[in-house]
Amino acid sequence: MAKAKNSLFYLGIIGGFSAIMYWIVLLGAKLESGRDIVVHTSQQGQWADFKEALVHNLEHPLAILLAQIVTIILVAKLFGWICTKIGQPTVIGEMIAGIVLGPSLIGMYFPEFSAILFPSQSLGNLQFLSQLGLILFMFIVGMELDLKVLRNKTHEAVVISHASIIIPFALGMGLAYFIYNAYAPDGVQFLSFALFMGIAMSITAFPVLARIVQERGISKTKLGTVAITCAAADDITAWCILAAVIAIVKAGSVVSSFYTILMALAYVLLMIKIVRPFLIRIGNIYNSRENLSKPVVAIIFLTLILSAYATEIIGIHALFGAFMAGAIMPENVKFRNLFIDKVEDVALVLLLPLFFVFTGLRTQIGLLNDPEIWKLTGIIILIAVAGKFIGSALAAKFMGQNWKDSLSIGALMNTRGLMELVVLNIGYDLGVLTPEVFSMMVLMALVTTFMTGPALDFINWAFKSKKEEASPEVKAISKYKILLSFGKPESGRTLLKLANGFTQKLNGNATFTAMHLSSADDLHHYDMDAYESESFKPVIEESIHLNRKITTLFKASTDFDSDITSVANKGDYDLLLIGLGQSIYEGSFLGKLLGFTTRIINPEKLLNTVTGKENFFDSSPFDERTKQIITKSLIPVGVFINKDFSKAQRVFVPVFDVKDSFLVAYAQKLIHNSGAQVVVLDAAGQIRNNAAIKEKIRAIEQTVPNHISLQNQGAIEKDFLEQQDLMLISLESWKKMVESKSLWLSDIPSTLIISDKTNLYLEG
Amino acid sequence: MFQLAAVTNLSLYLFAGAVVVLLCVLVYLQLRLLKAERIKNEAAAKFQQLESQVNSLQLATLESKLNPHLFKNILNSIQSHAYQTYFALDKLANVLDYILYESRNKFVTAKEEIEFALNLVEINKIKLSPLFELNVKTKINEADPMYDQPLIAPLISIDLIENAFKHADLQSEDAFISIVFEFKDSQFFLTVSNKVSPKSPLKKERGGIGTETLEQRLRIIYKDHYKLNRFVEDNVHIAHLNINLREHTAAMHTVR
């Protein structure tokens, strides 16, 4: 009923007002009398009219631009797809797409098509859009550049990267000397031409390199990190040099570029000293997607545009400003990732292909119609490869890399990709490069990028024949991996001693990871490093003392137990060792029982008891956090109660249940690795009736007498307990003992409580 | 005078009588002494005899105790061996079952193959010290739909495991064998690593067939969808087998 009413109302109001509008038009037509009205009437008829309008619309600048974008994206994606299929980075496909669409191919064979789709007057629009895309892209490149990486291992990487810049730079200038007369445009100084040839030879594409490294799964290896660090250092240096070169070329000489360079330095200082701290504050406040509100985004974009604008005005190209703005963004990874996500799609998918095609439109391979020129192209490529590849490979070798890694670094640094095109376009715009040289250099960029993958394959193949190297992942599978998680720095040392007791003889086949979590609220960014090194100091000392390698893992956390278990579960560890903080037992029943505290009444505890927060006689075996860790962890967990533990020589293993038999496997490790003497106590008479466990113990006794013994009597003497270094007990038995308030709990030695959910395969 | 003489005579007799009496006493005492001496000697001899008798008796008892103890010790080790043997035989029975009934099928499930391989490991354990660092891990995503499908060629894991036990350097102190089964993302992984001796292997009359046949089988059955790599680094031999069952089944379906 209501529906019908609504429909009626709709029809009524639309129909009624349509009638009124028609009436107004009829009335208005009468007003026309006396005016000169030109009515579009044509002789061709309606259909022809429509066709004409259509053609007219097709030639409208906006329509052409939109059509260009559609074509470009489609073709770029197609070529990109082909390239991924043949195992090349997509960048190459996009570069080729540009050349194909340009005058080199389509323009040459289908000039009409080219004239319609890419008329010369439309190139201006395309250029602006592609420049915008480049600015956004450089912003991303700057943001993806992790300056922290540089800080850690600067020395080696800086030497390699600077050698890999200066060598090709010098070679490029040398080449310029020979071709200046024949190929430099008229009215260009030799200095400008030579500097541009130099910089064009020495560029490395950080984004392409990073992607290749990632795709090959070597980002975590030494080679990968060195290559990435080198490329990062290379990137920064090259952009700074480029800025200087642009200044010099524009000013005409080194001296007159002085003011520009001075201005540029002032600009960099301003960005680092004033803008950066401001952004860091913003980053600290807004670091989640929820509160990254529109005003904040606006501030960031304003910074980007203003920075680009400033550099453009100073005369060192807007790209440098965009790169700089990206590089000074807060180093908060979350913040950067959020922003990269926001910008990346528009910049990389929509705008960047325009740049490729714009470059392609300028590239006229048809100009290279002389064998002489092709020879020169070959020489350029040869010099580019020789300078970059051999230069960085030699530098890497000199810095102590092995031949394979050095050559791989050389091959990786030889990737020029997109960055080279950026430099070439700037040179072209400045009039330093002629169309011929530009085309030759574009070809060089294409070839050097293209050869990276095959070169790496070849190096791998050439060195493979001698010795095949297992990837670190495969190697890690079979290792016995222990994760130590500790709060107090000193307890890390004890846990390491204990872990060493289990694995001493395994040498390289066992790995330790020491993890320290710190409350995220208590940490400030600036003292993080100091705090980290302080936390790990005792562990590292102990590891040096024991001559064992350890990996450290430091993390700021808001949710300790989830973070610990997720690291343990995902990291594929075999054993998680955690310390049991003594403080949490202060004043509790268990604390009294364990002798951690002499007072049973702790003021805070008492208050909590009175207010009902805690049960005074709460004797749960663990605190909440430990409980959570044990429940959530999928791997075996050892909870360690430390009572002056130094070495595991005398070990006591009470067995209360058949299920506890997995403890024998741990005891076995202690015997094997630290020569421990183990007493297994059959506390509930369960072993006597279980052949599997009994035989397991007997088999050990047969092999190493005097290292394991099975005792049956129930009573446990105080003297005996005091002689022991360590007690191994299963979680279930521990719970039972605490619940039954066993009398000898107060005399126990250091204790490792093991919860093992994976013990299905230990019998036998 | 006579009287005097008579008195003197009397005292003389008296004196002589006393002497005789004394002599008699002396002789008697001497005799008693001799007798006592003899008894004492006899007693000592007897005691000595008894003592030696006791000693030998004690020895006999000790010896009679010693024999069963020896037995107990020997029994202990035999029992231990017998148990291990029984245990190994039990596992061998499982292995035989598998070989007889399952391996006739062209494919078995990953689950069955892994169970079989675990039994095989147990049998091989018999040649190892119980303290030997043998690390067997299974990391399996049982929810994976391909885990319960017959897609694995039977006995495919046998060669790598056998090799590890055959070539492991059992003598060196940091010797170990590690066998890891993984099943995730519809892929089957087997990683076997073991310490090998740096010395060059002794030439054997027969051998090397296993490796080749394994490669051949894998190539015929799984074509491009498997990877088998072997590495030796720092005297550790690592064999890594990966079968991508998703690609494999996809390829089988397209062939049909």
Side-chain angles (χ1 to χ4, degrees):
Chain A
M1 196 59 214
K3 246 186 187 170
K5 213 168 94 185
N6 284 348
S7 309
L8 218 63
F9 174 74
Y10 176 77
L11 284 176
I13 205 153
I14 299 291
F17 278 89
S18 302
I20 291 173
M21 277 153 67
Y22 183 68
W23 182 61
I24 291 174
V25 170
L26 285 184
L27 279 183
K30 287 173 187 160
L31 297 177
E32 282 176 3
S33 55
R35 294 182 175 224
D36 255 349
I37 303 288
V38 184
V39 180
H40 282 285
T41 47
S42 70
Q43 300 77 14
Q44 295 159 339
Q46 258 89 21
W47 174 242
D49 263 3
F50 173 70
K51 272 206 308 200
E52 195 179 307
L54 205 61
V55 170
H56 179 259
N57 287 344
L58 268 179
E59 283 165 6
H60 190 272
L62 183 62
I64 288 185
L65 186 64
L66 292 179
Q68 285 169 344
I69 294 178
V70 170
T71 322
I72 288 168
I73 292 181
L74 280 180
V75 176
K77 287 288 142 210
L78 174 70
F79 278 85
W81 178 77
I82 293 174
C83 273
T84 43
K85 281 288 146 194
I86 58 170
Q88 287 285 348
T90 44
V91 178
I92 300 203
E94 289 167 340
M95 281 160 81
I96 294 175
I99 293 174
V100 165
L101 283 177
S104 314
L105 204 80
I106 299 262
M108 192 174 282
Y109 296 103
F110 308 98
E112 306 86 6
F113 178 78
S114 190
I116 291 173
L117 194 57
F118 297 107
S120 53
Q121 67 269 19
S122 76
L123 290 187
N125 295 332
L126 206 56
Q127 179 173 14
F128 278 125
L129 263 187
S130 70
Q131 292 288 350
L132 198 64
L134 260 195
I135 286 176
L136 286 178
F137 174 71
M138 288 305 290
F139 181 58
I140 294 175
V141 170
M143 278 207 283
E144 281 181 344
L145 202 67
D146 190 1
L147 292 174
K148 257 193 199 151
V149 177
L150 282 181
R151 232 170 274 156
N152 290 338
K153 41 182 97 186
T154 7
H155 182 63
E156 199 179 343
V158 164
V159 171
I160 298 175
S161 78
H162 285 185
S164 76
I165 288 180
I166 197 78
I167 296 173
F169 202 103
L171 287 177
M173 287 184 86
L175 177 71
Y177 175 78
F178 290 104
I179 63 172
Y180 176 68
N181 276 332
Y183 292 97
D186 295 331
V188 168
Q189 289 173 303
F190 174 72
L191 180 67
S192 309
F193 185 67
L195 282 178
F196 248 97
M197 289 303 282
I199 190 90
M201 291 291 180
S202 49
I203 284 286
T204 284
F206 178 74
V208 183
L209 186 147
R211 205 160 304 153
I212 291 177
V213 164
Q214 231 158 38
E215 276 169 10
R216 292 187 172 248
I218 50 174
S219 52
K220 290 274 161 64
T221 62
K222 204 175 112 212
L223 167 67
T225 45
V226 171
I228 289 212
T229 322
C230 287
D234 199 313
D235 233 18
I236 294 173
T237 320
W239 291 119
C240 291
I241 294 178
L242 181 67
V245 167
I246 294 172
I248 294 170
V249 169
K250 279 191 177 168
S253 74
V254 179
V255 183
S256 48
S257 72
F258 183 70
Y259 291 110
T260 313
I261 290 176
L262 210 64
M263 283 289 282
L265 283 179
Y267 153 80
V268 170
L269 268 181
L270 177 88
M271 291 298 274
I272 292 178
K273 290 286 167 204
I274 295 173
V275 183
R276 187 155 178 260
F278 169 68
L279 288 176
I280 285 176
R281 287 195 57 172
I282 292 181
N284 282 343
I285 302 169
Y286 306 98
N287 57 4
S288 69
R289 189 175 285 281
E290 289 75 41
N291 53 22
L292 193 66
S293 56
K294 293 273 183 286
V296 183
V297 177
I299 289 175
I300 304 288
F301 273 122
L302 268 182
T303 317
L304 162 66
I305 306 283
L306 279 177
S307 166
Y309 182 62
T311 45
E312 184 69 32
I313 287 183
I314 292 170
I316 50 172
H317 210 286
L319 292 182
F320 188 75
F323 177 74
M324 198 67 206
I328 62 157
M329 282 293 137
E331 273 166 29
N332 186 328
V333 175
K334 234 178 176 176
F335 185 84
R336 283 195 175 193
N337 281 347
L338 274 179
F339 225 82
I340 290 175
D341 279 353
K342 269 188 190 295
V343 183
E344 205 168 31
D345 292 346
V346 176
L348 295 191
V349 178
L350 190 66
L351 297 178
L352 207 57
L354 301 189
F355 172 72
F356 287 112
V357 173
F358 185 69
T359 312
L361 289 177
R362 288 173 155 189
T363 315
Q364 302 169 26
I365 297 189
L367 286 180
L368 312 180
N369 47 9
D370 192 353
E372 203 59 29
I373 296 186
W374 280 105
K375 221 168 90 187
L376 181 65
T377 313
I379 291 174
I380 288 181
I381 294 174
L382 201 70
I383 287 180
V385 173
K388 200 78 190 171
F389 182 93
I390 297 175
S392 38
L394 283 181
K397 177 75 187 118
F398 191 76
M399 293 311 290
Q401 305 283 344
N402 60 32
W403 270 117
K404 186 191 171 200
D405 282 3
S406 309
L407 289 176
S408 302
I409 288 173
L412 282 169
M413 296 295 277
N414 197 24
T415 309
R416 287 188 177 75
L418 173 61
M419 296 304 178
E420 177 75 14
L421 297 192
V422 175
V423 174
L424 294 178
N425 272 298
I426 294 174
Y428 191 82
D429 287 337
L430 289 174
V432 181
L433 304 176
T434 59
E436 287 108 45
V437 178
F438 181 79
S439 306
M440 288 190 266
M441 296 296 254
V442 168
L443 272 184
M444 183 270 282
L446 208 58
V447 170
T448 51
T449 313
F450 192 81
M451 67 184 276
T452 307
L456 279 179
D457 287 339
F458 177 76
I459 292 166
N460 274 338
W461 175 81
F463 282 85
K464 193 183 184 177
S465 50
K466 281 181 200 161
K467 192 181 166 191
E468 207 169 359
E469 246 180 58
S471 72
E473 288 85 10
V474 171
K475 267 198 256 177
I477 292 176
S478 49
K479 288 193 171 160
Y480 191 75
K481 296 176 280 286
I482 300 183
L483 178 66
L484 318 166
S485 170
F486 58 91
K488 279 190 206 150
E490 270 306 315
S491 64
R493 186 199 291 272
T494 332
L495 286 182
L496 183 63
K497 272 185 199 161
L498 180 67
N500 189 50
F502 278 110
T503 55
Q504 208 165 334
K505 280 193 190 159
L506 276 177
N507 282 332
N509 202 47
T511 58
F512 299 146
T513 307
M515 176 166 74
H516 177 73
L517 294 187
S518 174
S519 167
D521 306 333
D522 303 344
L523 274 179
H524 292 290
H525 191 68
Y526 53 85
D527 59 15
M528 195 96 105
D529 289 347
Y531 183 81
E532 185 180 345
S533 66
E534 194 181 307
S535 311
F536 287 116
K537 206 175 144 214
V539 185
I540 289 173
E541 272 174 14
E542 187 65 26
S543 74
I544 294 167
H545 176 67
L546 296 172
N547 194 18
R548 298 295 304 258
K549 249 192 234 161
I550 60 165
T551 316
T552 57
L553 186 63
F554 178 73
K555 214 174 157 194
S557 164
T558 46
D559 187 357
F560 278 51
D561 38 283
S562 307
D563 274 352
I564 292 176
T565 45
S566 80
V567 168
N569 292 342
K570 282 184 196 146
D572 208 15
Y573 290 96
D574 296 293
L575 178 63
L576 166 65
L577 288 181
I578 52 178
L580 195 57
Q582 302 192 351
S583 57
I584 52 167
Y585 283 114
E586 286 291 341
S588 71
F589 168 76
L590 191 65
K592 171 83 177 162
L593 212 51
L594 296 176
F596 285 152
T597 174
T598 47
R599 290 172 306 160
I600 199 156
I601 297 164
N602 161 306
E604 194 186 338
K605 190 89 177 177
L606 193 63
L607 189 70
N608 285 346
T609 315
V610 172
T611 53
K613 271 189 201 160
E614 277 178 60
N615 182 356
F616 187 70
F617 290 107
D618 180 19
S619 60
S620 76
F622 296 115
D623 56 313
E624 199 46 43
R625 182 176 295 161
T626 313
K627 231 188 264 173
Q628 286 296 324
I629 293 175
I630 291 174
T631 342
K632 286 187 199 161
S633 167
L634 302 174
I635 64 167
V637 183
V639 183
F640 187 56
I641 300 173
N642 182 20
K643 285 187 168 184
D644 293 329
F645 176 79
S646 60
K647 58 186 186 324
Q649 279 305 308
R650 292 169 162 273
V651 181
F652 169 52
V653 185
V655 173
F656 289 84
D657 195 289
V658 181
K659 281 185 221 143
D660 291 0
S661 63
F662 69 87
L663 289 173
V664 176
Y666 287 92
Q668 184 180 323
K669 278 184 194 301
L670 284 175
I671 299 172
H672 179 59
N673 287 296
S674 34
Q677 289 183 297
V678 178
V679 175
V680 181
L681 180 80
D682 187 8
Q686 296 271 13
I687 300 183
R688 213 177 315 163
N689 303 323
N690 187 311
I693 311 175
K694 199 164 66 181
E695 289 306 330
K696 203 164 170 145
I697 295 171
R698 177 146 62 187
I700 298 173
E701 202 181 357
Q702 294 287 320
T703 324
V704 279
N706 196 27
H707 278 87
I708 193 164
S709 78
L710 179 61
Q711 291 189 3
N712 291 318
Q713 82 265 25
I716 298 166
E717 304 287 331
K718 192 178 166 185
D719 295 346
F720 170 76
L721 278 176
E722 277 168 0
Q723 283 171 2
Q724 305 301 315
D725 298 320
L726 180 69
M727 176 166 94
L728 289 182
I729 189 166
S730 75
L731 178 68
E732 292 305 316
S733 302
W734 173 255
K735 277 186 190 159
K736 262 187 237 157
M737 262 170 63
V738 172
E739 272 159 25
S740 66
K741 300 180 178 142
S742 291
L743 283 174
W744 47 282
L745 265 181
S746 51
D747 301 317
I748 56 168
S750 296
T751 299
L752 184 65
I753 306 157
I754 303 179
S755 148
D756 196 336
K757 293 174 194 158
T758 57
N759 60 0
L760 307 161
Y761 177 73
L762 280 166
E763 285 77 44
Chain B
M1 273 309 272
F2 177 78
Q3 203 166 7
L4 187 72
V7 168
T8 322
N9 245 353
L10 187 67
S11 58
L12 196 72
Y13 284 128
L14 275 175
F15 180 73
V19 168
V20 167
V21 166
L22 277 174
L23 269 176
C24 283
V25 167
L26 199 70
V27 167
Y28 175 72
L29 282 177
Q30 186 67 34
L31 282 174
R32 283 296 296 262
L33 189 68
L34 278 173
K35 198 180 177 186
E37 193 97 325
R38 208 186 66 235
I39 290 171
K40 192 192 132 209
N41 280 345
E42 269 172 18
K46 186 115 187 182
F47 179 76
Q48 220 163 16
Q49 195 195 343
L50 279 175
E51 196 182 25
S52 70
Q53 229 163 9
V54 165
N55 272 347
S56 66
L57 267 177
Q58 229 167 13
L59 200 65
T61 3
L62 279 177
E63 270 167 2
S64 66
K65 263 190 197 167
L66 210 60
N67 288 341
H69 201 81
L70 177 72
F71 275 129
K72 174 69 182 166
N73 277 345
I74 297 172
L75 183 67
N76 243 335
S77 68
I78 293 179
Q79 218 178 349
S80 181
H81 276 106
Y83 180 82
Q84 307 297 340
T85 314
Y86 163 76
F87 186 76
L89 284 175
D90 191 41
K91 301 293 168 190
L92 182 63
N94 292 341
V95 168
L96 267 177
D97 271 354
Y98 184 81
I99 292 174
L100 281 174
Y101 306 117
E102 302 296 336
S103 64
R104 276 188 306 192
N105 303 333
K106 198 167 173 228
F107 290 105
V108 295
T109 68
K111 190 180 173 181
E112 288 165 334
E113 176 71 12
I114 292 173
E115 258 166 33
F116 153 75
L118 292 180
N119 278 318
L120 193 69
V121 172
E122 289 298 333
I123 295 173
N124 273 303
K125 249 183 172 176
I126 204 164
K127 73 181 234 191
L128 301 177
S129 142
L131 290 181
F132 187 82
E133 199 66 46
L134 174 66
N135 213 345
V136 183
K137 278 190 262 181
T138 48
K139 282 180 259 177
I140 286 156
N141 175 15
E142 292 189 9
D144 197 302
M146 300 225 168
Y147 181 57
D148 285 328
Q149 285 182 35
L151 294 168
I152 301 279
L155 309 178
I156 208 90
S157 45
I158 189 169
D159 185 63
L160 299 181
I161 293 175
E162 284 288 314
N163 254 331
F165 283 97
K166 206 152 78 184
H167 299 296
D169 183 16
L170 301 181
Q171 295 305 316
S172 86
E173 198 177 41
D174 53 351
F176 72 95
I177 295 176
S178 153
I179 299 167
V180 185
F181 292 97
E182 287 168 283
F183 199 94
K184 59 186 180 198
D185 307 331
S186 300
Q187 294 191 61
F188 173 80
F189 297 90
L190 170 59
T191 314
V192 181
S193 51
N194 58 280
K195 186 98 187 169
V196 287
S197 165
K199 291 175 184 137
S200 60
L202 289 173
K203 199 168 186 273
K204 283 186 183 168
E205 283 183 357
R206 279 171 295 178
I209 295 176
T211 318
E212 274 171 34
T213 37
L214 175 67
E215 290 257 31
Q216 225 165 8
R217 272 187 84 198
L218 283 168
R219 207 165 34 240
I220 293 170
I221 299 171
Y222 296 108
K223 312 228 161 44
D224 295 335
H225 313 302
Y226 81 96
K227 253 185 249 164
L228 176 62
N229 296 314
R230 292 163 198 273
F231 319 94
V232 179
E233 262 173 58
D234 304 329
N235 292 330
V236 174
H237 178 268
I238 304 177
H240 184 69
L241 170 67
N242 165 15
I243 303 176
N244 192 331
L245 296 173
R246 183 176 288 140
E247 280 180 16
H248 171 61
T249 45
M252 286 207 307
H253 286 300
T254 45
V255 166
R256 278 174 210 159

